[in-house]
């Protein structure tokens, strides 16, 4: 069945899943608990992100009144890629992405849908209770958000999560961003549209351990930083100009001492002068190259110049 003949769902739930065989029966139970509160035209999309355990078999055993689809990745491509695959595959007017480990409570979804009906295009969530997250993860997450928000033009919501809901309009805009390196949390803030943030209390993981290793977190942080901002490049450009000016001033001072000063060691002035001039110019050129790289980077992202949220005509 292709997408045009497929009946459109009202709500799509997208679950990225990596080695969660034990959780799937529990997730199934949880979904069935909410059938009265979710629209009857709900579809479930499970993105199996290269699991090496029995996740796929467990997913096939799911029993629910909703149609569901399993997308199996050829290997582990990561949470962000899994989210993206699910978003692309969804047909719902509203699409909610949430973790399979039940840390993202389903009881918030009816509230998200209510907010959409009130006119919000994007419903983001923000974790309020940090007790379920260990101290070191809390520290690194805080540091990451502080850092990224100082350096980035579009703000990334602090303690935001990938538990969010988009309507078709916002989702179409999001999926139209053509860049290869996708950092969804930043891209969602970038597209704009009427957005509301709702707080939620993250639950404890019901089974198993976090699949976000320190290296995966560091990668996400670096990815987030580089894809949301070219400011670090411009900042290093500014530093190199400052360095260039300082080197030039000192080079002039060296020349002055060489001709009018007293008691200088032979060769001091000539060596220092050459070092300062070469170093100064190198640093200036590096700064300029940085500015060009930033411009090239923005160009290669090839993002649209704007999105229209609505238009109004006098007649
Ligand atoms: N996940 C994924 N691919 C990965 C890592 C995680 O699809 O490479 C899934 C995971 O199965 C879970 C969700 O993404 O449904 C969030 O991961 P996890 O709960 O391990 O992260 P945490 O809640 O600890 O940040
Ligand atoms: Mg989790």
């Amino acid at each position: 069945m292709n997408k045009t003949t497929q009946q459109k769902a009202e709500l799509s739930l997208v679950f990225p899943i990596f080695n969660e065989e034990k959780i799937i029966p529990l997730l199934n139970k949880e979904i069935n608990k909410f059938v009265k509160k979710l629209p009857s035209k709900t579809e479930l999309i499970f993105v199996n992100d290269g699991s090496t355990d029995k996740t796929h078999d467990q997913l096939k055993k799911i029993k629910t009144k909703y149609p569901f689809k399993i997308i199996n990745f050829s290997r582990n491509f990561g949470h962000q890629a899994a989210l993206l695959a699910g978003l692309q595959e969804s047909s719902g007017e509203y699409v909610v992405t949430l973790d399979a480990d039940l840390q993202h409570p389903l009881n918030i979804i009816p509230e998200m849908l209510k907010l959409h009906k009130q006119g919000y295009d994007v419903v983001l969530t923000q974790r309020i209770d940090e007790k379920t997250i260990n101290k070191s993860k809390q520290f690194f997450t805080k540091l990451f958000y502080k850092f990224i928000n100082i350096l980035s033009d579009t703000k990334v919501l602090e303690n935001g999560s990938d538990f969010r809901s988009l309507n078709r309009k916002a989702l179409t805009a999001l999926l139209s961003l053509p860049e290869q390196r996708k950092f969804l949390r930043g891209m969602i803030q970038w597209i704009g549209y009427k957005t509301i943030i709702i707080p939620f209390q993250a639950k404890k993981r019901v089974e198993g351990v976090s699949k976000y290793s320190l290296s995966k977190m560091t990668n996400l942080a670096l990815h987030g930083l580089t894809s949301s901002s070219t400011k670090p490049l411009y900042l290093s450009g500014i530093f190199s100009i400052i360095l260039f000016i300082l080197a030039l001033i000192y080079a002039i001072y060296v020349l002055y001492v060489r001709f009018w000063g007293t008691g200088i060691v032979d060769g001091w002035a000539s060596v220092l002068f050459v070092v300062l001039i070469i170093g100064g110019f190198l640093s200036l050129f590096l700064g300029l190259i940085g500015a060009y790289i930033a411009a090239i980077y923005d160009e290669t992202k090839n993002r649209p110049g704007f999105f229209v949220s609505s238009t109004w005509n006098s007649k």
Side-chain angles (χ1 to χ4, degrees):
M1 236 190 311
N2 68 32
K3 267 211 170 150
T4 45
T5 57
Q6 194 179 337
Q7 210 191 8
K8 285 214 163 45
E10 184 179 347
L11 171 70
S12 307
L13 300 184
V14 171
F15 297 93
I17 305 180
F18 177 51
N19 288 346
E20 309 281 14
E21 57 180 8
K22 283 196 192 131
I23 281 182
I24 291 153
L26 303 168
L27 176 65
N28 191 177
K29 254 193 211 153
E30 192 71 10
I31 291 169
N32 287 340
K33 250 200 242 164
F34 281 89
V35 283
K36 291 221 171 76
K37 298 214 171 115
L38 300 177
S40 57
K41 275 194 190 168
T42 295
E43 64 171 4
L44 311 174
I45 297 173
F46 301 104
V47 186
N48 179 13
D49 182 13
S51 299
T52 48
D53 63 357
K54 299 213 164 56
T55 292
H56 176 71
D57 297 334
Q58 289 294 346
L59 283 172
K60 280 202 300 193
K61 283 189 203 151
I62 282 185
K63 296 226 166 350
T64 153
K65 69 171 206 170
Y66 301 127
F68 67 91
K69 184 181 273 179
I70 306 166
I71 301 168
N72 289 306
F73 275 2
S74 58
R75 66 166 171 86
N76 178 241
F77 281 97
H79 186 215
Q80 296 286 300
L83 287 171
L84 192 69
L87 290 175
Q88 279 173 353
E89 201 49 45
S90 68
S91 74
E93 175 54 31
Y94 307 106
V95 183
V96 176
T97 48
L98 66 171
D99 288 357
D101 60 0
L102 303 185
Q103 287 199 284
H104 295 160
L106 272 87
N107 64 11
I108 289 181
I109 297 174
E111 194 184 331
M112 288 171 152
L113 295 178
K114 220 190 267 167
L115 290 164
H116 280 307
K117 305 245 156 86
Q118 285 171 18
Y120 290 99
D121 302 302
V122 179
V123 183
L124 301 177
T125 65
Q126 191 170 30
R127 279 192 314 267
I128 41 169
D129 193 356
E130 299 288 297
K131 271 179 238 149
T132 50
I133 300 172
N134 71 42
K135 283 262 171 327
S136 67
K137 186 157 180 168
Q138 268 181 49
F139 174 76
F140 283 116
T141 325
K142 247 209 170 80
L143 196 72
F144 165 65
Y145 283 115
K146 282 267 162 324
F147 202 57
I148 204 165
N149 281 331
I150 289 171
L151 289 174
S152 170
D153 304 320
T154 36
K155 297 286 167 251
V156 179
L157 179 67
E158 205 165 313
N159 283 332
S161 71
D162 284 303
F163 181 26
R164 68 175 83 82
S165 178
L166 305 171
N167 66 8
R168 209 18 74 181
K169 183 164 75 171
L171 181 62
T172 308
L174 181 75
L175 293 178
S176 78
L177 301 191
E179 64 222 55
Q180 285 300 310
R181 293 160 49 87
K182 303 209 194 261
F183 178 62
L184 289 169
R185 285 180 209 182
M187 287 160 67
I188 277 154
Q189 308 267 106
W190 187 86
I191 60 168
Y193 289 110
K194 202 166 171 204
T195 302
I196 187 163
I197 300 161
I198 53 176
F200 82 102
Q201 219 141 22
K203 293 203 219 152
K204 268 210 166 76
R205 187 176 239 285
V206 282
E207 265 290 348
V209 290
S210 171
K211 304 299 177 309
Y212 254 96
S213 56
L214 188 63
S215 76
K216 270 188 183 164
M217 259 168 67
T218 316
N219 267 339
L220 181 72
L222 272 176
H223 183 153
L225 180 68
T226 51
S227 64
S228 323
S229 174
T230 46
K231 262 195 199 161
L233 281 172
Y234 285 112
L235 274 182
S236 66
I238 291 170
F239 280 125
S240 36
I241 290 171
I242 293 173
L243 204 65
F244 169 72
I245 294 170
L246 291 178
L248 214 60
I249 292 171
Y250 199 58
I252 292 168
Y253 167 76
V254 169
L255 277 187
Y256 171 81
V257 175
R258 163 72 182 74
F259 290 112
W260 292 283
T262 50
I264 56 164
V265 182
D266 261 1
W268 172 83
S270 53
V271 170
L272 207 54
F273 186 78
V274 170
V275 168
L276 285 169
I277 290 296
I278 292 179
F281 274 99
L282 275 182
S283 136
L284 178 71
F285 292 144
L286 270 182
L288 278 177
I289 290 171
Y292 274 97
I293 289 177
I296 294 168
Y297 184 60
D298 279 338
E299 283 293 334
T300 53
K301 273 202 232 166
N302 211 8
R303 284 187 181 179
F306 54 85
F307 288 116
V308 175
S309 104
S310 63
T311 52
W312 185 86
N313 281 317
S314 64
K315 274 184 201 155

